[in-house]
Amino acid sequence: MAKQKAIPTSKGHRFFVTIADEDKWKTILEIVEKSEKYKSVNSVINEALSYGLPFLIKGTTGETVISDDLKDNMELIVNDGEVSERMLNGIVVRLLKEINLNVLMCKSMSSQLVNAIGDTAEGKRIIPEKYKQGAYSDTPEYLESYEMRELKKLRR
């Protein structure tokens, strides 16, 4: 088999490829015409390669190769029709961390509001700079003790 030489360019390497299937060409051109993301045939083909090459490698060599681009763009990696348990665990952990962060932010903001309203009700002056810096975001004592009781119940 003759090896095709790549021509180096400023953006990568250039190969000359013939796509004989007219339906595939029509599909590629349709994507370029209808998509805001893909501005050229080249961009569509490169994206298709980033998705398809790992499956081609798996089918021809049996190896599982997942590019960084593919990891970033896919929600689930499917191997032989089954979702990898390790991949699912990774996704669940990432989502739980995101949920935890969102809950923490909501808790902080609501605590800040409760503390500012409480201080205002007591006739204390709210200092805008401290408020903007989150100085009032400590969890009120009554909520802190409630939270601890509920967390202990969950751990039983």
Side-chain angles (χ1 to χ4, degrees):
M1 174 175 24
K3 290 188 178 183
Q4 186 176 12
K5 291 186 179 180
I7 302 167
T9 68
S10 62
K11 295 182 180 179
H13 289 80
R14 179 174 293 166
F15 287 94
F16 293 97
V17 179
T18 303
I19 300 176
D21 187 331
E22 191 175 338
D23 289 338
K24 288 184 177 121
W25 261 116
K26 286 179 182 177
T27 302
I28 292 168
L29 292 174
E30 188 176 317
I31 291 170
V32 172
E33 288 173 9
K34 293 181 178 180
S35 171
E36 291 181 24
K37 180 179 178 182
Y38 304 108
K39 303 295 181 197
S40 68
V41 169
N42 192 56
S43 63
V44 173
I45 292 172
N46 276 306
E47 186 78 5
L49 285 171
S50 72
Y51 283 98
L53 278 178
F55 294 105
L56 183 61
I57 291 168
K58 174 78 173 163
T60 57
T61 66
E63 293 180 40
T64 302
V65 178
I66 302 167
S67 69
D68 290 339
D69 290 342
L70 189 58
K71 285 179 188 174
D72 292 341
N73 291 323
M74 290 182 68
E75 291 180 21
L76 299 174
I77 304 297
V78 180
N79 293 323
D80 298 330
E82 292 183 26
V83 177
S84 157
E85 185 176 336
R86 184 174 166 196
M87 188 58 78
L88 263 182
N89 287 339
I91 291 167
V92 168
V93 167
R94 182 179 52 80
L95 291 173
L96 285 172
K97 286 179 180 179
E98 187 177 326
I99 290 168
N100 188 43
L101 176 63
N102 288 330
V103 168
L104 180 65
M105 291 176 69
C106 289
K107 179 181 172 185
S108 177
M109 289 185 292
S110 59
S111 293
Q112 184 157 325
L113 289 170
V114 166
N115 289 327
I117 291 169
D119 283 359
T120 303
E122 292 174 3
K124 296 178 184 173
R125 186 174 161 269
I126 302 298
I127 302 166
E129 293 81 27
K130 285 189 174 186
Y131 186 83
K132 288 177 184 175
Q133 294 170 355
Y136 296 94
S137 63
D138 291 338
T139 305
E141 285 183 29
Y142 75 94
L143 284 177
E144 203 169 82
S145 56
Y146 173 77
E147 181 182 31
M148 288 300 141
R149 280 194 313 272
E150 294 304 310
L151 285 172
K152 284 179 184 177
K153 286 181 187 175
L154 289 174
R155 291 185 180 133
R156 290 181 194 161

